[in-house]
Structure formats: C-alpha cells, structure tokens
Amino acid sequence: MIFTETKLAGAYVIDLEKRGDSRGFFARSFCQDEFERHGLISKVVQTNVSLSKHQGTLRGMHYQESPYAETKLVRCTQGAIYDVIVDIRPESPTYRQWIGVELTSSNHRMLFVPQHFAHGFITLVDDCEVTYQVSQVYHPGSERGLRYNDPALGIIWPQEVKVISDKDASWPDMNI
C-alpha cells in the first residue's frame, strides 16, 4: 500500500500497490502492521456498506463523539464519489479545514479518516457502493454531524446536491 499524508495531519490517501499480470492484479487493501507503522489506528470492529442509487446523493457530514470517536477507512467499490473530511479537533493547526478526494471503483483509492473528523461524500454517478471499515461500533447517542453547506467551512462540492436525507440536511453549522 502507498500511504500519502494529506494536508490534514493524520489523514491519508491510500493507494493500492498492485501486482499485475495477464489476469489483472492482486493487492493488499489493509495490513495491520503497515497501518501501525504509519501511526494509524489499525483496529477494525465493524464494516459498513452504503448503496446510493442516484448521482448527486450526499451523505454526511458525520462523526461520533468520544468515547465512541472512530477512525474510518473508506473505499468506493462501485461507481465514483467525492469524499470530504473536515478536521474538527479544536487544538489542531488545521481545525475547520477540509479536503476532498475522488474515490472510484476504478482507481481503488482509499481515504483514512482519523478520529474527530467529520466525513461525508457526494455520488458522482448512479449506483455507488461505499465500504467503510471502522474502529468503533456505531453508538447512536454519540452520533453528530455538520451541515454540508455550512458557510464557515466553505466546502466546494463538485456538483449539485440532488438527494439528501432530512437528517443530513438539518445538521447544525459548525460551532465547536
């Protein structure tokens, strides 16, 4: 695996190191030892899958509060998404900053989302499936979110939001 740290400390884009031949390729998409060598939480306790039927579907911006704060390893296994994370660690020099990464089934790219980051994505095509490996079990009482179009964050989405849940549309502006 090829780990590239983003401008947000602790957040990584991870590309597969493919070994190819006439059949296609083989690659590892997770290795506990490699994650630990990069100082990343390697514990996986749950794997989630979402399917979004329509282009322009936005899911997010989600996070869980401590003690249920989670890391996520996100990969688009079908289709294409624009994945966004926001640093919500008040002590961080990149507090309130965000990055966006295109994850597709053809680029096989993954995004490692550290604890205390809000996470969301918009689908770039119809029928997108996204897999998340997470370090904590989902705890409904600790779930929080930020509004995807909060002017204080200034996230630039690559296309119009066409489908969003009432819950995701009503998250508050960032005031933490």
Side-chain angles (χ1 to χ4, degrees):
M1 291 176 290
I2 303 163
F3 291 76
T4 305
E5 191 165 15
T6 70
K7 72 175 188 174
L8 306 178
Y12 284 80
V13 171
I14 302 171
D15 289 296
L16 300 182
E17 194 167 357
K18 300 173 186 172
R19 305 285 188 240
D21 61 24
S22 62
R23 299 168 296 170
F25 74 84
F26 176 86
R28 289 176 299 148
S29 61
F30 179 80
C31 175
Q32 181 178 348
D33 290 345
E34 285 192 48
F35 273 69
E36 289 175 359
R37 272 197 298 274
H38 285 86
L40 306 179
I41 294 173
S42 63
K43 176 177 149 184
V44 174
V45 300
Q46 186 172 298
T47 301
N48 305 320
V49 177
S50 71
L51 177 69
S52 300
K53 295 180 181 181
H54 303 289
Q55 177 182 358
T57 299
L58 190 132
R59 294 179 182 261
M61 300 292 296
H62 308 137
Y63 63 97
Q64 287 197 159
E65 289 189 327
S66 293
Y68 298 97
E70 61 190 2
T71 63
K72 296 177 184 175
L73 182 61
V74 183
R75 182 170 178 216
C76 181
T77 54
Q78 178 178 305
I81 64 170
Y82 185 71
D83 205 24
V84 172
I85 58 174
V86 178
D87 186 347
I88 58 172
R89 304 170 295 181
E91 73 287 353
S92 171
T94 56
Y95 179 60
R96 293 186 180 217
Q97 292 182 30
W98 64 274
I99 61 161
V101 178
E102 193 169 305
L103 305 178
T104 72
S105 57
S106 59
N107 73 13
H108 307 283
R109 182 166 273 174
M110 298 176 285
L111 181 62
F112 179 83
V113 183
Q115 292 176 325
H116 308 293
F117 275 65
H119 170 257
F121 64 85
I122 191 165
T123 59
L124 303 175
V125 298
D126 290 341
D127 298 317
C128 289
E129 183 179 271
V130 178
T131 300
Y132 318 66
Q133 292 176 300
V134 294
S135 65
Q136 291 287 343
V137 295
Y138 173 68
H139 186 263
S142 298
E143 180 185 24
R144 301 290 183 274
L146 303 176
R147 195 160 55 89
Y148 75 97
N149 58 355
D150 178 348
L153 299 175
I155 297 170
I156 301 168
W157 297 97
Q159 64 182 53
E160 177 188 354
V161 175
K162 297 177 184 172
V163 180
I164 188 170
S165 71
D166 290 342
K167 181 175 161 182
D168 285 350
S170 63
W171 288 119
D173 286 346
M174 186 171 183
N175 59 6
I176 53 176

